[in-house]
Every structure is written in C-alpha cells, then in structure tokens.
Amino acid sequence: MTQPSTITEDDVRTALNELREDAATGGVRLSVLALSRRLGLPNTTLRRRFPTICAELATDLAAPGQAAHTAGSTALTSLRQENVRLRRDNENLAANLEVAIANIQRLTLQAHDLAEALEHARGVTRLPRRSH
C-alpha cells in the first residue's frame, strides 16, 4: 500500500488556479485528469479525497465554456460525419476497383482467346522459340 500524500485542499486549489490560467492561454485542456497529473496523484485518489473541488471543476467545464464547448462539439460532430462519409466513399471506391480489376482480367483472357481463334482461322503457324 502506498503512503498517503500530504497534499492539502489549498494545494489542490492552487494547482487548479494554475491549471485554469494555463487553459486560458491554450496550453492545457482543463479537466480533472489534468489536475490530477499536475498534482502527481492518481485520478481516482483526487476524486475520492477532494470531491467538492472535482465537482466544482465539472460545473466550471459545463457552465462558462458552454458556447466554446458547443462549438467544439459541433466541430467534433462535423468531423465525425466527414469521417463516416470518407469511410463510405473509400469502401465504394475499393469495391469499384475490385470490379475494374475483374473486368480487366476478363477482357485480357477474352482478347487472348480471340487472338488465338483468329490465328487458327487464318492458318498461322507458330515457330518454335530458340533458347539463348
């Protein structure tokens, strides 16, 4: 069993304020996981020992950045939709490529058979090949 850490609520609040400043400048994403990493604690330990701070952070994430979160959510949704469309297009193109390959193979064999039939009809005699 590990030794209990000596991190106090003041330490957590100080780290949370630093994390908020970093998130405001775009350096870090604000989350409980980021806070736990900053403190050097496992995520579950932070949630268990400081539930009020984690709840406060969760409400901060939901309330003030709601417009930014909605914009990010909209961008994420559009990226997911684009990804689905691209996967579908890729599958269609792969299927079309397989059909094209099969047609090329069929036409190659058909052209070979027609060339042999023409040679036979015209009475073309093939000469044996010399080896080098």
Side-chain angles (χ1 to χ4, degrees), residues 6-123:
T6 58
I7 296 176
T8 64
E9 186 171 339
D10 290 335
D11 296 334
V12 176
R13 292 210 179 270
T14 301
L16 179 59
N17 290 334
E18 292 171 0
L19 186 65
R20 284 180 176 146
E21 289 172 8
D22 288 348
T25 61
V28 185
R29 184 169 179 226
L30 189 61
S31 69
V32 176
L33 182 60
L35 179 61
S36 68
R37 285 183 179 159
R38 183 166 292 230
L39 292 167
L41 288 175
N43 189 19
T44 53
T45 303
L46 178 69
R47 288 179 183 275
R48 186 177 59 247
R49 290 186 57 206
F50 304 102
T52 55
I53 294 174
C54 292
E56 178 184 321
L57 181 57
T59 56
D60 285 355
L61 292 173
Q66 192 65 25
H69 180 66
T70 304
S73 174
T74 304
L76 182 61
T77 302
S78 71
L79 282 174
R80 285 184 177 154
Q81 290 172 348
E82 181 72 7
N83 193 15
V84 167
R85 185 190 64 78
L86 289 171
R87 284 182 191 274
R88 186 177 53 243
D89 290 350
N90 191 19
E91 289 173 6
N92 289 338
L93 290 171
N96 288 340
L97 181 61
E98 287 183 31
V99 169
I101 289 170
N103 280 328
I104 290 170
Q105 290 172 339
R106 181 185 55 81
L107 290 171
T108 300
L109 293 174
Q110 188 178 15
H112 183 266
D113 290 344
L114 288 173
E116 280 185 348
L118 180 62
E119 288 175 0
H120 181 68
R122 295 235 171 142

